[in-house]
Amino acid sequence: MSELLDKLASVPQIADDELCRRLLPLVTRRTGLTSSGYPYFERRTFEDFRDTIAYLFNCGAAVLEALELIEDGAEKVDLSDEERKNLARGCRVAGQMTRTAAITSPTDLWLLRHIIGVHSELGLTERLLAGEAIHPEFCTVDVRGKEESLDAEQLAIDLNFLLARGIVEQYDESYRIAGHTRVRELLRTLGPIAEGEPIPATPLWKKLFDGDDLTGPEIEQLEALERLGRGIPSGRTDLEQTHWVPTVDEVRTGYLLVPLVLGLRAAGQCEGRAFGDRLNAAELVPQLESLPDLLAPQYQSLAGLALRILSAAGWVRPSDQGFAITRLGARGFARAPGPFGIIQTYHPYMSQARQILLGGRSSVWVRRGENIGASQDANRKTFRIANDALDRFCQDTGFEYEVFIEHAIGRGEATRQRFERSGEEDIRYFGADLEDAAIDAAEQEQQAGRLPQNMRFVRRADIGKPSKLLAALKEAGVDSRGAVMLVGNGFHEVRDQTDQTMVEVFCGYHDAGVLLLFTEENALSVDDLRATAYNTYHAGFKYVHEKSGQCLRPASPRPRPRLGPPLRAAWSECAKQAGYIRLEQYGTRTRTIYPYPRPDGHNPSISVNHFFVPR
């Protein structure tokens, strides 16, 4: 495709733009189409884009604008049909990688800031900078003049996340600093998180955006973030890139962006944001115009901080009437709150990171009530796919069911969809969850008429202990044989599970005759996470679940990876050992993590909808 490159390089609007000149050799290379009709880069092109193009935050917004310039410039050149199609495919893949990173990278960077902060506090980053190898099994630190051993499991989880993000390298059972100059800059610059910074900041942002009065200490906490925010440039000007390891400013931007966006979502200010819409301080903080003169400057400053963070993230750009939402920002407002919320739910593990490394996680527990909304956002589409599969199965086989169960219920999104399709005349509905907050939220949905009136709820029902749910069914006079149970990302919440205990869990549901439909995010190896960079948010997803004692598994068996710990037995293996049969034709998969075909055929999906029937 060198002729295509030469033709486009002569177009003034492309030749005069540095980012266009960097992108052009990549988007004009040969592309391909999958069997489903989706375009992809070849492997070398993907890796070159990943490593040489700055495409996070403000740079990501600039990449999308540069791609538009290239496509507009192509209209002024005589191209063949194949050249034009190839360019369109290349620009589409580059744009998709950029839009994906806007959703997936901030949570990784939010976590990275916390981990580097506590490791700096304990002296671990200084030891890495000095060239020392950190061995989790034998790592001790000085605590007030006394040598203390760190929890080996928790330290290994931290180091494997740093390994997945390119910050350390693995040497047998130990870890050393990675060689890129950016890594040294990160470890030297990002010290302990300053005292007084709120973790999480989301509730404070929500109060500000709701128009509620902030107390003096709350204003001081947001001002602590403002001092950090002052150092973030509005946009990165250095486009030199030889690795996807983040810069210091990118880590700081992700750290500030995640709680800000979740505060906006909690205040109802994310929905409906479109490309080109205007945003200003008075719209974000409704009480600005009515504040007394004494408070107005403080609130104005906090509103300015929010806009400065969004600007650094590339979600908004200065305009004549405040700020205008970019294409990247429109994507972020629409898609980021779900993934952001799921990760930030685990803030107790970040705020108590020092204690956990010194004494284990036994005293820390995440309450699912905090991520009910985020889980519903993230699972809505997969529940629709699972309900579609159930309808197809019934149509194809003549199967009929009278009982529909949603476990790990959240607000009952799976049931709401089934209720809309099937009503409640012929089906009895049950909802179960371990957390009272989830059942409370589902009961509110029922009172609002969005869930069936005949639905019964089972409280304190651990999905890893089938007996609680089965006893409730029996008490209600319901035969569990032939019941359908739909679960959205719930089985990984079984704490401290082993392969064998997971088989036993599945046995409980299998022996009761329950059809099992569930969605689970695919456990990915460190090899996959490093190779795909920000093409998923699974480095962070994997980290927070392992930190809390939960367990991700691959959908199907995987060979031992080169880096990091081996993966656990696959969901399909555990269910098969329990007696279930997976009906492949009714299972579905989301997009694969590598945007190119691999010779070995290894290209796992981000998540899988499983469909199991008892043998």
Side-chain angles (χ1 to χ4, degrees), residues 160-176:
N160 279 314
F161 176 80
L162 297 180
L163 178 65
R165 297 299 82 189
I167 308 301
V168 299
E169 298 292 350
Q170 187 175 7
Y171 292 83
D172 296 324
E173 301 300 319
S174 64
Y175 301 80
R176 294 180 183 271

mmCIF file with all atom_site columns, all heavy atoms in Angstrom, residues 160-176:
data_model
loop_
_atom_site.group_PDB
_atom_site.id
_atom_site.type_symbol
_atom_site.label_atom_id
_atom_site.label_alt_id
_atom_site.label_comp_id
_atom_site.label_asym_id
_atom_site.label_entity_id
_atom_site.label_seq_id
_atom_site.pdbx_PDB_ins_code
_atom_site.Cartn_x
_atom_site.Cartn_y
_atom_site.Cartn_z
_atom_site.occupancy
_atom_site.B_iso_or_equiv
_atom_site.pdbx_formal_charge
_atom_site.auth_seq_id
_atom_site.auth_comp_id
_atom_site.auth_asym_id
_atom_site.auth_atom_id
_atom_site.pdbx_PDB_model_num
ATOM 1   N N   . ASN A 1 160 ? 2.039  -8.646  40.159 1.00 0.00 ? 160 ASN A N   1
ATOM 2   C CA  . ASN A 1 160 ? 1.540  -9.177  38.889 1.00 0.00 ? 160 ASN A CA  1
ATOM 3   C C   . ASN A 1 160 ? 0.735  -8.137  38.116 1.00 0.00 ? 160 ASN A C   1
ATOM 4   O O   . ASN A 1 160 ? 0.721  -8.133  36.883 1.00 0.00 ? 160 ASN A O   1
ATOM 5   C CB  . ASN A 1 160 ? 0.717  -10.436 39.126 1.00 0.00 ? 160 ASN A CB  1
ATOM 6   C CG  . ASN A 1 160 ? 1.579  -11.665 39.305 1.00 0.00 ? 160 ASN A CG  1
ATOM 7   O OD1 . ASN A 1 160 ? 2.521  -11.892 38.547 1.00 0.00 ? 160 ASN A OD1 1
ATOM 8   N ND2 . ASN A 1 160 ? 1.288  -12.464 40.319 1.00 0.00 ? 160 ASN A ND2 1
ATOM 9   N N   . PHE A 1 161 ? 0.057  -7.223  38.835 1.00 0.00 ? 161 PHE A N   1
ATOM 10  C CA  . PHE A 1 161 ? -0.583 -6.108  38.132 1.00 0.00 ? 161 PHE A CA  1
ATOM 11  C C   . PHE A 1 161 ? 0.468  -5.200  37.508 1.00 0.00 ? 161 PHE A C   1
ATOM 12  O O   . PHE A 1 161 ? 0.345  -4.778  36.346 1.00 0.00 ? 161 PHE A O   1
ATOM 13  C CB  . PHE A 1 161 ? -1.457 -5.316  39.102 1.00 0.00 ? 161 PHE A CB  1
ATOM 14  C CG  . PHE A 1 161 ? -2.074 -4.087  38.476 1.00 0.00 ? 161 PHE A CG  1
ATOM 15  C CD1 . PHE A 1 161 ? -3.208 -4.196  37.682 1.00 0.00 ? 161 PHE A CD1 1
ATOM 16  C CD2 . PHE A 1 161 ? -1.512 -2.826  38.651 1.00 0.00 ? 161 PHE A CD2 1
ATOM 17  C CE1 . PHE A 1 161 ? -3.775 -3.074  37.081 1.00 0.00 ? 161 PHE A CE1 1
ATOM 18  C CE2 . PHE A 1 161 ? -2.072 -1.704  38.065 1.00 0.00 ? 161 PHE A CE2 1
ATOM 19  C CZ  . PHE A 1 161 ? -3.207 -1.825  37.276 1.00 0.00 ? 161 PHE A CZ  1
ATOM 20  N N   . LEU A 1 162 ? 1.522  -4.881  38.265 1.00 0.00 ? 162 LEU A N   1
ATOM 21  C CA  . LEU A 1 162 ? 2.599  -4.061  37.718 1.00 0.00 ? 162 LEU A CA  1
ATOM 22  C C   . LEU A 1 162 ? 3.277  -4.766  36.550 1.00 0.00 ? 162 LEU A C   1
ATOM 23  O O   . LEU A 1 162 ? 3.694  -4.124  35.580 1.00 0.00 ? 162 LEU A O   1
ATOM 24  C CB  . LEU A 1 162 ? 3.620  -3.734  38.805 1.00 0.00 ? 162 LEU A CB  1
ATOM 25  C CG  . LEU A 1 162 ? 3.106  -2.907  39.993 1.00 0.00 ? 162 LEU A CG  1
ATOM 26  C CD1 . LEU A 1 162 ? 4.239  -2.652  40.993 1.00 0.00 ? 162 LEU A CD1 1
ATOM 27  C CD2 . LEU A 1 162 ? 2.512  -1.587  39.534 1.00 0.00 ? 162 LEU A CD2 1
ATOM 28  N N   . LEU A 1 163 ? 3.374  -6.076  36.615 1.00 0.00 ? 163 LEU A N   1
ATOM 29  C CA  . LEU A 1 163 ? 3.923  -6.858  35.506 1.00 0.00 ? 163 LEU A CA  1
ATOM 30  C C   . LEU A 1 163 ? 3.033  -6.742  34.276 1.00 0.00 ? 163 LEU A C   1
ATOM 31  O O   . LEU A 1 163 ? 3.513  -6.544  33.149 1.00 0.00 ? 163 LEU A O   1
ATOM 32  C CB  . LEU A 1 163 ? 4.054  -8.320  35.937 1.00 0.00 ? 163 LEU A CB  1
ATOM 33  C CG  . LEU A 1 163 ? 4.558  -9.329  34.899 1.00 0.00 ? 163 LEU A CG  1
ATOM 34  C CD1 . LEU A 1 163 ? 5.992  -9.016  34.495 1.00 0.00 ? 163 LEU A CD1 1
ATOM 35  C CD2 . LEU A 1 163 ? 4.457  -10.756 35.444 1.00 0.00 ? 163 LEU A CD2 1
ATOM 36  N N   . ALA A 1 164 ? 1.732  -6.828  34.482 1.00 0.00 ? 164 ALA A N   1
ATOM 37  C CA  . ALA A 1 164 ? 0.787  -6.735  33.364 1.00 0.00 ? 164 ALA A CA  1
ATOM 38  C C   . ALA A 1 164 ? 0.779  -5.353  32.738 1.00 0.00 ? 164 ALA A C   1
ATOM 39  O O   . ALA A 1 164 ? 0.433  -5.194  31.566 1.00 0.00 ? 164 ALA A O   1
ATOM 40  C CB  . ALA A 1 164 ? -0.622 -7.096  33.844 1.00 0.00 ? 164 ALA A CB  1
ATOM 41  N N   . ARG A 1 165 ? 1.167  -4.315  33.501 1.00 0.00 ? 165 ARG A N   1
ATOM 42  C CA  . ARG A 1 165 ? 1.193  -2.946  32.980 1.00 0.00 ? 165 ARG A CA  1
ATOM 43  C C   . ARG A 1 165 ? 2.600  -2.498  32.587 1.00 0.00 ? 165 ARG A C   1
ATOM 44  O O   . ARG A 1 165 ? 2.827  -1.310  32.343 1.00 0.00 ? 165 ARG A O   1
ATOM 45  C CB  . ARG A 1 165 ? 0.606  -1.970  33.995 1.00 0.00 ? 165 ARG A CB  1
ATOM 46  C CG  . ARG A 1 165 ? -0.856 -2.209  34.331 1.00 0.00 ? 165 ARG A CG  1
ATOM 47  C CD  . ARG A 1 165 ? -1.783 -2.082  33.104 1.00 0.00 ? 165 ARG A CD  1
ATOM 48  N NE  . ARG A 1 165 ? -1.806 -3.297  32.304 1.00 0.00 ? 165 ARG A NE  1
ATOM 49  C CZ  . ARG A 1 165 ? -2.385 -3.398  31.113 1.00 0.00 ? 165 ARG A CZ  1
ATOM 50  N NH1 . ARG A 1 165 ? -2.977 -2.362  30.572 1.00 0.00 ? 165 ARG A NH1 1
ATOM 51  N NH2 . ARG A 1 165 ? -2.359 -4.535  30.449 1.00 0.00 ? 165 ARG A NH2 1
ATOM 52  N N   . GLY A 1 166 ? 3.544  -3.426  32.522 1.00 0.00 ? 166 GLY A N   1
ATOM 53  C CA  . GLY A 1 166 ? 4.869  -3.110  32.001 1.00 0.00 ? 166 GLY A CA  1
ATOM 54  C C   . GLY A 1 166 ? 5.781  -2.380  32.959 1.00 0.00 ? 166 GLY A C   1
ATOM 55  O O   . GLY A 1 166 ? 6.807  -1.829  32.536 1.00 0.00 ? 166 GLY A O   1
ATOM 56  N N   . ILE A 1 167 ? 5.471  -2.369  34.258 1.00 0.00 ? 167 ILE A N   1
ATOM 57  C CA  . ILE A 1 167 ? 6.263  -1.612  35.224 1.00 0.00 ? 167 ILE A CA  1
ATOM 58  C C   . ILE A 1 167 ? 7.394  -2.447  35.799 1.00 0.00 ? 167 ILE A C   1
ATOM 59  O O   . ILE A 1 167 ? 8.457  -1.926  36.142 1.00 0.00 ? 167 ILE A O   1
ATOM 60  C CB  . ILE A 1 167 ? 5.367  -1.080  36.367 1.00 0.00 ? 167 ILE A CB  1
ATOM 61  C CG1 . ILE A 1 167 ? 4.171  -0.313  35.809 1.00 0.00 ? 167 ILE A CG1 1
ATOM 62  C CG2 . ILE A 1 167 ? 6.170  -0.214  37.329 1.00 0.00 ? 167 ILE A CG2 1
ATOM 63  C CD1 . ILE A 1 167 ? 4.541  0.877   34.935 1.00 0.00 ? 167 ILE A CD1 1
ATOM 64  N N   . VAL A 1 168 ? 7.174  -3.740  35.945 1.00 0.00 ? 168 VAL A N   1
ATOM 65  C CA  . VAL A 1 168 ? 8.230  -4.645  36.423 1.00 0.00 ? 168 VAL A CA  1
ATOM 66  C C   . VAL A 1 168 ? 8.361  -5.806  35.448 1.00 0.00 ? 168 VAL A C   1
ATOM 67  O O   . VAL A 1 168 ? 7.499  -6.022  34.585 1.00 0.00 ? 168 VAL A O   1
ATOM 68  C CB  . VAL A 1 168 ? 7.931  -5.184  37.851 1.00 0.00 ? 168 VAL A CB  1
ATOM 69  C CG1 . VAL A 1 168 ? 7.857  -4.060  38.851 1.00 0.00 ? 168 VAL A CG1 1
ATOM 70  C CG2 . VAL A 1 168 ? 6.656  -6.023  37.863 1.00 0.00 ? 168 VAL A CG2 1
ATOM 71  N N   . GLU A 1 169 ? 9.465  -6.526  35.594 1.00 0.00 ? 169 GLU A N   1
ATOM 72  C CA  . GLU A 1 169 ? 9.683  -7.754  34.832 1.00 0.00 ? 169 GLU A CA  1
ATOM 73  C C   . GLU A 1 169 ? 9.849  -8.908  35.817 1.00 0.00 ? 169 GLU A C   1
ATOM 74  O O   . GLU A 1 169 ? 10.263 -8.709  36.958 1.00 0.00 ? 169 GLU A O   1
ATOM 75  C CB  . GLU A 1 169 ? 10.935 -7.643  33.942 1.00 0.00 ? 169 GLU A CB  1
ATOM 76  C CG  . GLU A 1 169 ? 10.865 -6.550  32.897 1.00 0.00 ? 169 GLU A CG  1
ATOM 77  C CD  . GLU A 1 169 ? 9.834  -6.820  31.810 1.00 0.00 ? 169 GLU A CD  1
ATOM 78  O OE1 . GLU A 1 169 ? 9.300  -7.940  31.758 1.00 0.00 ? 169 GLU A OE1 1
ATOM 79  O OE2 . GLU A 1 169 ? 9.558  -5.895  31.025 1.00 0.00 ? 169 GLU A OE2 1
ATOM 80  N N   . GLN A 1 170 ? 9.539  -10.120 35.367 1.00 0.00 ? 170 GLN A N   1
ATOM 81  C CA  . GLN A 1 170 ? 9.590  -11.292 36.233 1.00 0.00 ? 170 GLN A CA  1
ATOM 82  C C   . GLN A 1 170 ? 10.906 -12.038 36.039 1.00 0.00 ? 170 GLN A C   1
ATOM 83  O O   . GLN A 1 170 ? 11.341 -12.260 34.907 1.00 0.00 ? 170 GLN A O   1
ATOM 84  C CB  . GLN A 1 170 ? 8.410  -12.214 35.926 1.00 0.00 ? 170 GLN A CB  1
ATOM 85  C CG  . GLN A 1 170 ? 8.258  -13.378 36.883 1.00 0.00 ? 170 GLN A CG  1
ATOM 86  C CD  . GLN A 1 170 ? 6.991  -14.179 36.599 1.00 0.00 ? 170 GLN A CD  1
ATOM 87  O OE1 . GLN A 1 170 ? 6.306  -13.951 35.620 1.00 0.00 ? 170 GLN A OE1 1
ATOM 88  N NE2 . GLN A 1 170 ? 6.683  -15.111 37.473 1.00 0.00 ? 170 GLN A NE2 1
ATOM 89  N N   . TYR A 1 171 ? 11.513 -12.397 37.144 1.00 0.00 ? 171 TYR A N   1
ATOM 90  C CA  . TYR A 1 171 ? 12.731 -13.198 37.134 1.00 0.00 ? 171 TYR A CA  1
ATOM 91  C C   . TYR A 1 171 ? 12.513 -14.368 38.082 1.00 0.00 ? 171 TYR A C   1
ATOM 92  O O   . TYR A 1 171 ? 12.577 -14.202 39.305 1.00 0.00 ? 171 TYR A O   1
ATOM 93  C CB  . TYR A 1 171 ? 13.952 -12.369 37.560 1.00 0.00 ? 171 TYR A CB  1
ATOM 94  C CG  . TYR A 1 171 ? 14.313 -11.302 36.554 1.00 0.00 ? 171 TYR A CG  1
ATOM 95  C CD1 . TYR A 1 171 ? 13.670 -10.076 36.556 1.00 0.00 ? 171 TYR A CD1 1
ATOM 96  C CD2 . TYR A 1 171 ? 15.278 -11.534 35.572 1.00 0.00 ? 171 TYR A CD2 1
ATOM 97  C CE1 . TYR A 1 171 ? 13.983 -9.092  35.630 1.00 0.00 ? 171 TYR A CE1 1
ATOM 98  C CE2 . TYR A 1 171 ? 15.606 -10.566 34.641 1.00 0.00 ? 171 TYR A CE2 1
ATOM 99  C CZ  . TYR A 1 171 ? 14.954 -9.345  34.670 1.00 0.00 ? 171 TYR A CZ  1
ATOM 100 O OH  . TYR A 1 171 ? 15.273 -8.389  33.738 1.00 0.00 ? 171 TYR A OH  1
ATOM 101 N N   . ASP A 1 172 ? 12.217 -15.537 37.505 1.00 0.00 ? 172 ASP A N   1
ATOM 102 C CA  . ASP A 1 172 ? 11.853 -16.695 38.318 1.00 0.00 ? 172 ASP A CA  1
ATOM 103 C C   . ASP A 1 172 ? 10.696 -16.316 39.252 1.00 0.00 ? 172 ASP A C   1
ATOM 104 O O   . ASP A 1 172 ? 9.638  -15.969 38.784 1.00 0.00 ? 172 ASP A O   1
ATOM 105 C CB  . ASP A 1 172 ? 13.071 -17.228 39.089 1.00 0.00 ? 172 ASP A CB  1
ATOM 106 C CG  . ASP A 1 172 ? 14.150 -17.739 38.140 1.00 0.00 ? 172 ASP A CG  1
ATOM 107 O OD1 . ASP A 1 172 ? 13.771 -18.307 37.100 1.00 0.00 ? 172 ASP A OD1 1
ATOM 108 O OD2 . ASP A 1 172 ? 15.338 -17.547 38.423 1.00 0.00 ? 172 ASP A OD2 1
ATOM 109 N N   . GLU A 1 173 ? 10.929 -16.328 40.566 1.00 0.00 ? 173 GLU A N   1
ATOM 110 C CA  . GLU A 1 173 ? 9.860  -16.013 41.510 1.00 0.00 ? 173 GLU A CA  1
ATOM 111 C C   . GLU A 1 173 ? 9.942  -14.576 42.025 1.00 0.00 ? 173 GLU A C   1
ATOM 112 O O   . GLU A 1 173 ? 9.196  -14.202 42.936 1.00 0.00 ? 173 GLU A O   1
ATOM 113 C CB  . GLU A 1 173 ? 9.915  -16.978 42.707 1.00 0.00 ? 173 GLU A CB  1
ATOM 114 C CG  . GLU A 1 173 ? 9.790  -18.443 42.337 1.00 0.00 ? 173 GLU A CG  1
ATOM 115 C CD  . GLU A 1 173 ? 8.477  -18.745 41.621 1.00 0.00 ? 173 GLU A CD  1
ATOM 116 O OE1 . GLU A 1 173 ? 7.432  -18.197 42.027 1.00 0.00 ? 173 GLU A OE1 1
ATOM 117 O OE2 . GLU A 1 173 ? 8.496  -19.533 40.659 1.00 0.00 ? 173 GLU A OE2 1
ATOM 118 N N   . SER A 1 174 ? 10.825 -13.774 41.455 1.00 0.00 ? 174 SER A N   1
ATOM 119 C CA  . SER A 1 174 ? 10.987 -12.405 41.925 1.00 0.00 ? 174 SER A CA  1
ATOM 120 C C   . SER A 1 174 ? 10.689 -11.413 40.801 1.00 0.00 ? 174 SER A C   1
ATOM 121 O O   . SER A 1 174 ? 10.464 -11.802 39.647 1.00 0.00 ? 174 SER A O   1
ATOM 122 C CB  . SER A 1 174 ? 12.408 -12.193 42.455 1.00 0.00 ? 174 SER A CB  1
ATOM 123 O OG  . SER A 1 174 ? 13.357 -12.338 41.406 1.00 0.00 ? 174 SER A OG  1
ATOM 124 N N   . TYR A 1 175 ? 10.702 -10.118 41.142 1.00 0.00 ? 175 TYR A N   1
ATOM 125 C CA  . TYR A 1 175 ? 10.335 -9.066  40.200 1.00 0.00 ? 175 TYR A CA  1
ATOM 126 C C   . TYR A 1 175 ? 11.348 -7.938  40.289 1.00 0.00 ? 175 TYR A C   1
ATOM 127 O O   . TYR A 1 175 ? 11.749 -7.532  41.392 1.00 0.00 ? 175 TYR A O   1
ATOM 128 C CB  . TYR A 1 175 ? 8.935  -8.522  40.514 1.00 0.00 ? 175 TYR A CB  1
ATOM 129 C CG  . TYR A 1 175 ? 7.845  -9.578  40.464 1.00 0.00 ? 175 TYR A CG  1
ATOM 130 C CD1 . TYR A 1 175 ? 7.658  -10.443 41.539 1.00 0.00 ? 175 TYR A CD1 1
ATOM 131 C CD2 . TYR A 1 175 ? 7.017  -9.712  39.355 1.00 0.00 ? 175 TYR A CD2 1
ATOM 132 C CE1 . TYR A 1 175 ? 6.673  -11.416 41.509 1.00 0.00 ? 175 TYR A CE1 1
ATOM 133 C CE2 . TYR A 1 175 ? 6.012  -10.670 39.318 1.00 0.00 ? 175 TYR A CE2 1
ATOM 134 C CZ  . TYR A 1 175 ? 5.851  -11.528 40.394 1.00 0.00 ? 175 TYR A CZ  1
ATOM 135 O OH  . TYR A 1 175 ? 4.879  -12.488 40.361 1.00 0.00 ? 175 TYR A OH  1
ATOM 136 N N   . ARG A 1 176 ? 11.762 -7.411  39.124 1.00 0.00 ? 176 ARG A N   1
ATOM 137 C CA  . ARG A 1 176 ? 12.673 -6.279  39.060 1.00 0.00 ? 176 ARG A CA  1
ATOM 138 C C   . ARG A 1 176 ? 12.059 -5.176  38.207 1.00 0.00 ? 176 ARG A C   1
ATOM 139 O O   . ARG A 1 176 ? 11.133 -5.423  37.428 1.00 0.00 ? 176 ARG A O   1
ATOM 140 C CB  . ARG A 1 176 ? 14.022 -6.689  38.454 1.00 0.00 ? 176 ARG A CB  1
ATOM 141 C CG  . ARG A 1 176 ? 14.819 -7.672  39.292 1.00 0.00 ? 176 ARG A CG  1
ATOM 142 C CD  . ARG A 1 176 ? 16.136 -8.016  38.595 1.00 0.00 ? 176 ARG A CD  1
ATOM 143 N NE  . ARG A 1 176 ? 16.906 -9.011  39.325 1.00 0.00 ? 176 ARG A NE  1
ATOM 144 C CZ  . ARG A 1 176 ? 17.795 -8.728  40.271 1.00 0.00 ? 176 ARG A CZ  1
ATOM 145 N NH1 . ARG A 1 176 ? 18.019 -7.446  40.587 1.00 0.00 ? 176 ARG A NH1 1
ATOM 146 N NH2 . ARG A 1 176 ? 18.453 -9.677  40.892 1.00 0.00 ? 176 ARG A NH2 1
#
